[in-house]
Amino acid sequence: DAGVIQSPRHEVTEMGQEVTLRCKPISGHDYLFWYRQTMMRGLELLIYFNNNVPIDDSGMPEDRFSAKMPNASFSTLKIQPSEPRDSAVYFCASSMDRPTDTQYFGPGTRLTVL
Amino acid sequence: ELKVEQNPLFLSMQEGKNYTIYCNYSTTSDRLYWYRQDPGKSLESLFVLLSNGAVKQEGRLMASLDTKARLSTLHITAAVHDLSATYFCAAAHLYNQFYFGTGTSLTVIP
């Protein structure tokens, strides 16, 4: 299996622009997670899905952030409008049967908002 | 909310030495994970500990779990440069999410 796939790997944008991050989980995994990692705040869980349904989005920082999972093999995290403080590495992870099973992380998207 | 604390946050050690990273968590947890992250890279799962007294070993790394003390340790034996990375522990309660620690940045000096 190719593992969790994320795109783009790097994104540089200007403040106010819309940013869309993409993730393809490991096939057969029921759970998908979006994390954000910064030096200041460490690793934060933003939202997670079970069988394409959002279960907990309490970590989404603001209404500017939204996430969707239209099918079992694709998810997006959108930031609109983007701000410099959104600059971070965004990771997608997936797990098989339970949210507490081993989570397999994608390579991450490094977002820079100027 | 389950809180997870790691110490030390930064660790610089000489090659060949032994050291331990500690991971404390605040409430009942059914399982404890250790992950490794190389600079600029993703997180890689190292160990999962599922019960009190569980011990897992891989090469120079050994992880253990004491659920009564709510403590997990990651012991490094005879450190080598290749072990330089950031190590995260994560506690989880059944049917709930992971809670990650702050990470321990390990640098092994020749």
Coordinates of all heavy atoms in Angstrom, one line a residue, chain A residues 48-111:
Chain A
Y48 N -11.8 14.7 13.0 CA -11.6 13.4 12.5 C -13.0 12.8 12.0 O -14.1 13.3 12.4 CB -10.9 12.4 13.5 CG -11.7 11.9 14.7 CD1 -12.4 10.7 14.6 CD2 -11.6 12.6 15.9 CE1 -13.0 10.2 15.7 CE2 -12.3 12.1 17.0 CZ -13.0 10.9 16.9 OH -13.6 10.4 18.1
F49 N -12.9 11.9 11.1 CA -14.0 11.3 10.4 C -14.1 9.8 10.6 O -13.0 9.2 10.7 CB -13.9 11.5 8.9 CG -14.0 12.9 8.4 CD1 -12.9 13.8 8.4 CD2 -15.2 13.5 7.9 CE1 -12.9 15.1 8.0 CE2 -15.2 14.8 7.5 CZ -14.1 15.6 7.5
N50 N -15.3 9.3 10.7 CA -15.5 7.9 10.7 C -16.4 7.5 9.5 O -17.5 8.0 9.5 CB -16.1 7.4 12.0 CG -16.4 5.9 12.0 OD1 -15.7 5.1 11.3 ND2 -17.4 5.5 12.8
N51 N -15.9 6.7 8.6 CA -16.7 6.3 7.5 C -17.3 7.5 6.8 O -18.5 7.6 6.5 CB -17.8 5.3 7.9 CG -17.3 4.0 8.2 OD1 -16.3 3.5 7.7 ND2 -17.9 3.3 9.2
N52 N -16.5 8.5 6.6 CA -16.8 9.8 5.8 C -17.6 10.8 6.6 O -17.9 11.8 6.1 CB -17.5 9.5 4.5 CG -16.9 8.3 3.7 OD1 -15.7 8.0 3.9 ND2 -17.6 7.7 2.9
V53 N -18.0 10.4 7.9 CA -18.8 11.3 8.7 C -17.9 12.0 9.7 O -17.2 11.4 10.4 CB -19.9 10.5 9.4 CG1 -20.7 11.4 10.3 CG2 -20.8 9.8 8.4
P54 N -18.0 13.4 9.8 CA -17.2 14.1 10.8 C -17.7 13.7 12.2 O -18.9 13.8 12.5 CB -17.5 15.5 10.5 CG -18.7 15.6 9.7 CD -18.8 14.3 9.0
I55 N -16.8 13.3 13.1 CA -17.2 12.9 14.4 C -16.9 13.9 15.5 O -17.7 14.2 16.4 CB -16.4 11.6 14.8 CG1 -16.7 10.5 13.8 CG2 -16.7 11.1 16.2 CD1 -18.2 10.1 13.7
D56 N -15.7 14.6 15.3 CA -15.3 15.6 16.3 C -14.6 16.7 15.6 O -13.5 16.4 15.1 CB -14.5 14.9 17.4 CG -14.1 15.9 18.5 OD1 -14.4 17.1 18.4 OD2 -13.6 15.5 19.6
D57 N -15.2 17.8 15.6 CA -14.5 19.0 14.9 C -14.2 20.1 15.9 O -14.0 21.2 15.5 CB -15.3 19.5 13.8 CG -16.6 20.1 14.3 OD1 -16.9 20.0 15.5 OD2 -17.3 20.7 13.4
S58 N -14.1 19.7 17.2 CA -13.9 20.7 18.2 C -12.5 21.3 18.1 O -12.3 22.4 18.7 CB -14.1 20.1 19.6 OG -13.2 19.0 19.8
G59 N -11.6 20.7 17.4 CA -10.3 21.3 17.3 C -10.1 22.3 16.1 O -9.1 22.9 16.0
M60 N -11.1 22.4 15.3 CA -11.1 23.3 14.2 C -11.0 24.7 14.8 O -12.0 25.1 15.5 CB -12.3 23.2 13.3 CG -12.3 21.8 12.6 SD -11.1 21.7 11.3 CE -12.2 22.0 9.9
P61 N -10.0 25.5 14.5 CA -9.8 26.8 15.2 C -10.9 27.8 14.9 O -11.2 28.5 15.8 CB -8.4 27.2 14.7 CG -8.1 26.4 13.5 CD -8.9 25.2 13.5
E62 N -11.3 27.9 13.7 CA -12.3 29.0 13.4 C -13.2 28.6 12.3 O -12.9 27.6 11.6 CB -11.5 30.3 13.0 CG -10.6 30.8 14.1 CD -9.7 31.9 13.5 OE1 -10.2 32.7 12.6 OE2 -8.6 32.1 13.9
D63 N -14.2 29.4 12.0 CA -15.1 29.1 10.9 C -14.3 29.2 9.5 O -14.8 28.7 8.5 CB -16.2 30.1 10.9 CG -17.2 29.8 12.0 OD1 -17.1 28.8 12.6 OD2 -18.0 30.7 12.3
R64 N -13.1 29.8 9.6 CA -12.4 29.9 8.3 C -11.9 28.5 7.8 O -11.6 28.3 6.7 CB -11.2 30.8 8.5 CG -11.5 32.2 8.8 CD -10.2 33.1 8.9 NE -9.3 32.7 10.0 CZ -8.2 32.0 9.8 NH1 -7.8 31.7 8.5 NH2 -7.4 31.7 10.8
F65 N -11.9 27.5 8.8 CA -11.5 26.2 8.5 C -12.7 25.3 8.3 O -13.7 25.3 9.0 CB -10.7 25.6 9.7 CG -9.3 26.1 9.8 CD1 -9.1 27.5 10.2 CD2 -8.2 25.3 9.6 CE1 -7.8 28.0 10.4 CE2 -6.9 25.8 9.7 CZ -6.7 27.1 10.1
S66 N -12.6 24.5 7.2 CA -13.7 23.5 7.0 C -13.0 22.2 6.4 O -12.0 22.3 5.7 CB -14.7 24.0 6.0 OG -14.2 24.3 4.7
A67 N -13.7 21.1 6.7 CA -13.1 19.8 6.2 C -14.3 19.0 5.6 O -15.4 19.0 6.2 CB -12.4 19.1 7.2
K68 N -14.0 18.2 4.6 CA -15.0 17.4 4.0 C -14.4 16.0 3.7 O -13.2 15.9 3.5 CB -15.6 18.0 2.7 CG -16.4 19.3 2.9 CD -16.9 19.8 1.6 CE -17.7 21.0 1.8 NZ -18.3 21.6 0.5
M69 N -15.2 15.0 3.6 CA -14.8 13.7 3.2 C -15.9 13.1 2.3 O -16.8 12.4 2.8 CB -14.5 12.8 4.3 CG -13.7 11.6 3.9 SD -13.0 10.7 5.4 CE -12.1 9.4 4.5
P70 N -15.9 13.5 1.0 CA -17.0 13.1 0.1 C -17.0 11.6 -0.1 O -18.1 11.0 -0.5 CB -16.7 13.8 -1.2 CG -15.2 14.2 -1.1 CD -14.9 14.3 0.4
N71 N -15.9 10.9 0.0 CA -15.9 9.4 -0.1 C -14.8 8.8 0.7 O -14.0 9.6 1.3 CB -15.8 9.0 -1.6 CG -14.6 9.6 -2.3 OD1 -13.5 9.3 -1.9 ND2 -14.8 10.5 -3.3
A72 N -14.7 7.5 0.7 CA -13.8 6.8 1.6 C -12.3 7.0 1.2 O -11.4 6.7 2.0 CB -14.1 5.3 1.6
S73 N -12.1 7.6 0.0 CA -10.7 7.7 -0.4 C -10.2 9.1 -0.6 O -9.1 9.4 -1.2 CB -10.5 6.9 -1.7 OG -11.3 7.4 -2.7
F74 N -11.0 10.1 -0.1 CA -10.6 11.5 -0.3 C -11.1 12.4 0.7 O -12.3 12.3 1.1 CB -11.1 11.9 -1.7 CG -10.7 13.3 -2.1 CD1 -9.3 13.6 -2.3 CD2 -11.6 14.3 -2.3 CE1 -8.9 14.9 -2.7 CE2 -11.2 15.6 -2.7 CZ -9.9 15.8 -2.9
S75 N -10.3 13.3 1.2 CA -10.7 14.3 2.1 C -10.0 15.6 1.8 O -8.9 15.6 1.3 CB -10.4 13.9 3.6 OG -10.7 14.9 4.5
T76 N -10.6 16.7 2.1 CA -10.0 18.0 2.0 C -10.1 18.8 3.2 O -11.1 18.7 4.0 CB -10.7 18.8 0.8 OG1 -12.1 19.0 1.1 CG2 -10.6 18.1 -0.5
L77 N -9.2 19.7 3.4 CA -9.2 20.7 4.5 C -9.0 22.0 3.8 O -8.0 22.2 3.1 CB -8.0 20.4 5.5 CG -7.9 21.4 6.6 CD1 -9.1 21.3 7.6 CD2 -6.6 21.2 7.4
K78 N -10.0 22.9 4.0 CA -10.0 24.2 3.4 C -9.8 25.3 4.4 O -10.5 25.3 5.4 CB -11.2 24.3 2.5 CG -11.3 25.6 1.6 CD -12.6 25.6 0.8 CE -12.6 24.5 -0.2 NZ -13.7 24.6 -1.1
I79 N -9.1 26.3 4.0 CA -8.9 27.5 4.8 C -9.3 28.7 3.9 O -8.7 28.9 2.9 CB -7.5 27.7 5.3 CG1 -7.0 26.4 6.0 CG2 -7.4 28.9 6.3 CD1 -5.5 26.4 6.4
Q80 N -10.3 29.4 4.3 CA -10.8 30.6 3.6 C -11.4 31.6 4.5 O -12.4 31.3 5.1 CB -11.8 30.1 2.5 CG -12.6 31.2 1.9 CD -11.8 32.2 1.0 OE1 -10.7 31.9 0.7 NE2 -12.4 33.3 0.8
P81 N -10.8 32.8 4.5 CA -9.5 33.2 3.9 C -8.4 32.8 4.8 O -8.5 32.7 6.0 CB -9.7 34.8 3.9 CG -10.5 35.0 5.1 CD -11.5 33.9 5.3
S82 N -7.2 32.6 4.2 CA -6.1 32.2 5.0 C -5.4 33.5 5.7 O -5.5 34.6 5.2 CB -5.0 31.5 4.1 OG -4.6 32.4 3.0
E83 N -4.7 33.2 6.8 CA -4.0 34.2 7.5 C -2.6 33.7 7.9 O -2.4 32.5 7.9 CB -4.8 34.6 8.8 CG -6.1 35.1 8.6 CD -6.8 35.5 9.9 OE1 -6.2 35.4 11.0 OE2 -8.0 36.0 9.8
P84 N -1.7 34.7 8.1 CA -0.3 34.2 8.4 C -0.2 33.3 9.6 O 0.6 32.4 9.6 CB 0.4 35.5 8.7 CG -0.3 36.6 7.9 CD -1.8 36.1 7.9
R85 N -1.1 33.4 10.6 CA -1.0 32.5 11.7 C -1.5 31.1 11.4 O -1.4 30.2 12.2 CB -1.9 33.0 12.9 CG -3.3 33.2 12.6 CD -4.0 34.1 13.7 NE -5.3 34.5 13.3 CZ -6.4 34.2 13.9 NH1 -6.4 33.5 15.0 NH2 -7.6 34.7 13.5
D86 N -2.0 30.9 10.2 CA -2.3 29.5 9.8 C -1.1 28.7 9.3 O -1.2 27.5 9.0 CB -3.4 29.5 8.7 CG -4.6 30.3 9.1 OD1 -5.0 30.2 10.3 OD2 -5.3 30.8 8.2
S87 N 0.0 29.4 9.1 CA 1.2 28.8 8.6 C 1.6 27.6 9.6 O 1.7 27.9 10.8 CB 2.4 29.8 8.6 OG 2.1 30.8 7.6
A88 N 1.8 26.4 9.1 CA 2.0 25.3 9.9 C 2.2 24.1 8.9 O 2.1 24.2 7.7 CB 0.8 25.0 10.8
V89 N 2.5 22.9 9.5 CA 2.5 21.7 8.8 C 1.2 21.0 9.1 O 0.9 20.8 10.3 CB 3.7 20.8 9.1 CG1 3.6 19.5 8.3 CG2 5.0 21.5 8.8
Y90 N 0.5 20.6 8.1 CA -0.8 19.9 8.3 C -0.7 18.5 7.9 O -0.2 18.1 6.8 CB -1.9 20.6 7.4 CG -2.3 22.0 7.9 CD1 -1.5 23.1 7.6 CD2 -3.4 22.2 8.7 CE1 -1.8 24.3 8.1 CE2 -3.7 23.5 9.2 CZ -2.9 24.5 8.9 OH -3.2 25.8 9.4
F91 N -1.0 17.6 8.8 CA -0.9 16.2 8.6 C -2.3 15.5 8.5 O -3.2 15.9 9.2 CB -0.1 15.5 9.8 CG 1.4 15.8 9.8 CD1 1.9 16.6 10.7 CD2 2.2 15.1 8.9 CE1 3.3 16.9 10.8 CE2 3.6 15.4 8.9 CZ 4.1 16.2 9.9
C92 N -2.3 14.6 7.6 CA -3.5 13.7 7.6 C -3.1 12.3 8.1 O -1.9 11.9 7.8 CB -4.0 13.6 6.1 SG -5.4 12.5 5.8
A93 N -3.9 11.7 8.8 CA -3.6 10.3 9.3 C -4.8 9.4 9.1 O -6.0 10.0 9.1 CB -3.1 10.3 10.7
S94 N -4.6 8.1 9.1 CA -5.8 7.2 9.0 C -5.5 6.1 9.9 O -4.4 5.7 10.2 CB -6.1 6.8 7.6 OG -5.1 6.0 7.1
S95 N -6.6 5.5 10.4 CA -6.5 4.3 11.2 C -7.6 3.3 10.8 O -8.6 3.7 10.2 CB -6.6 4.6 12.7 OG -7.9 5.0 13.1
M96 N -7.5 2.0 11.2 CA -8.3 1.0 10.6 C -9.7 1.0 11.1 O -10.7 1.3 10.4 CB -7.6 -0.4 10.7 CG -8.2 -1.5 9.9 SD -7.3 -3.0 10.0 CE -5.9 -2.5 9.1
D97 N -9.9 0.5 12.4 CA -11.2 0.2 12.9 C -11.7 1.1 14.0 O -12.9 1.3 14.2 CB -11.3 -1.3 13.4 CG -11.0 -2.3 12.3 OD1 -11.6 -2.1 11.2 OD2 -10.4 -3.3 12.6
R98 N -10.8 1.7 14.7 CA -11.1 2.5 15.8 C -10.2 3.8 15.8 O -9.1 3.7 15.3 CB -10.9 1.8 17.2 CG -11.8 0.6 17.4 CD -11.6 -0.1 18.7 NE -10.3 -0.8 18.7 CZ -10.0 -1.6 19.7 NH1 -10.8 -1.9 20.6 NH2 -8.8 -2.2 19.6
P99 N -10.7 4.8 16.4 CA -9.9 6.1 16.4 C -8.6 5.9 17.3 O -7.7 6.6 17.1 CB -10.8 7.1 17.1 CG -11.8 6.3 17.8 CD -12.0 5.1 17.1
T100 N -8.6 4.8 18.1 CA -7.4 4.6 18.9 C -6.6 3.5 18.4 O -5.6 3.1 19.1 CB -7.9 4.2 20.4 OG1 -8.8 3.1 20.3 CG2 -8.6 5.4 21.1
D101 N -6.9 3.0 17.2 CA -5.9 2.1 16.6 C -4.7 2.9 16.1 O -4.8 4.1 16.0 CB -6.5 1.4 15.4 CG -7.5 0.3 15.8 OD1 -7.4 -0.2 16.9 OD2 -8.4 -0.1 14.9
T102 N -3.6 2.2 15.8 CA -2.5 2.9 15.3 C -2.8 3.8 14.1 O -3.5 3.4 13.2 CB -1.4 1.9 14.8 OG1 -1.0 1.1 15.9 CG2 -0.2 2.6 14.2
Q103 N -2.4 5.1 14.3 CA -2.6 6.1 13.2 C -1.4 6.1 12.3 O -0.3 6.3 12.8 CB -3.0 7.4 13.8 CG -4.3 7.5 14.6 CD -4.6 8.8 15.1 OE1 -4.1 9.8 14.7 NE2 -5.6 8.9 16.0
Y104 N -1.7 6.1 11.0 CA -0.6 6.2 10.0 C -0.7 7.6 9.4 O -1.7 8.0 8.9 CB -0.8 5.1 9.0 CG -0.6 3.7 9.6 CD1 -1.7 3.0 10.1 CD2 0.6 3.1 9.6 CE1 -1.6 1.8 10.7 CE2 0.8 1.8 10.2 CZ -0.3 1.2 10.7 OH -0.2 -0.1 11.3
F105 N 0.5 8.3 9.5 CA 0.5 9.6 9.1 C 1.0 9.8 7.6 O 1.9 9.1 7.2 CB 1.4 10.4 10.0 CG 0.8 10.8 11.3 CD1 0.6 9.8 12.3 CD2 0.4 12.1 11.6 CE1 0.0 10.2 13.5 CE2 -0.2 12.4 12.8 CZ -0.4 11.5 13.7
G106 N 0.4 10.8 6.9 CA 0.9 11.2 5.6 C 2.1 12.0 5.8 O 2.6 12.4 6.9
P107 N 2.7 12.4 4.7 CA 4.0 13.2 4.7 C 3.8 14.6 5.1 O 4.8 15.3 5.5 CB 4.5 13.1 3.2 CG 3.2 12.9 2.4 CD 2.3 12.1 3.3
G108 N 2.6 15.1 5.1 CA 2.3 16.5 5.6 C 2.3 17.5 4.4 O 2.9 17.3 3.4
T109 N 1.6 18.6 4.7 CA 1.7 19.8 3.8 C 2.2 20.9 4.6 O 1.6 21.3 5.6 CB 0.3 20.1 3.2 OG1 -0.2 19.0 2.4 CG2 0.3 21.4 2.4
R110 N 3.3 21.5 4.1 CA 3.8 22.7 4.8 C 3.2 23.9 4.1 O 3.4 24.2 3.0 CB 5.4 22.7 4.6 CG 6.0 23.9 5.3 CD 7.5 23.8 5.3 NE 8.0 22.7 6.1 CZ 8.2 22.7 7.4 NH1 7.9 23.7 8.1 NH2 8.6 21.6 8.0
L111 N 2.4 24.6 4.9 CA 1.7 25.8 4.5 C 2.3 27.1 5.0 O 2.6 27.2 6.2 CB 0.2 25.7 4.9 CG -0.6 27.0 4.6 CD1 -0.8 27.2 3.1 CD2 -2.0 26.9 5.3

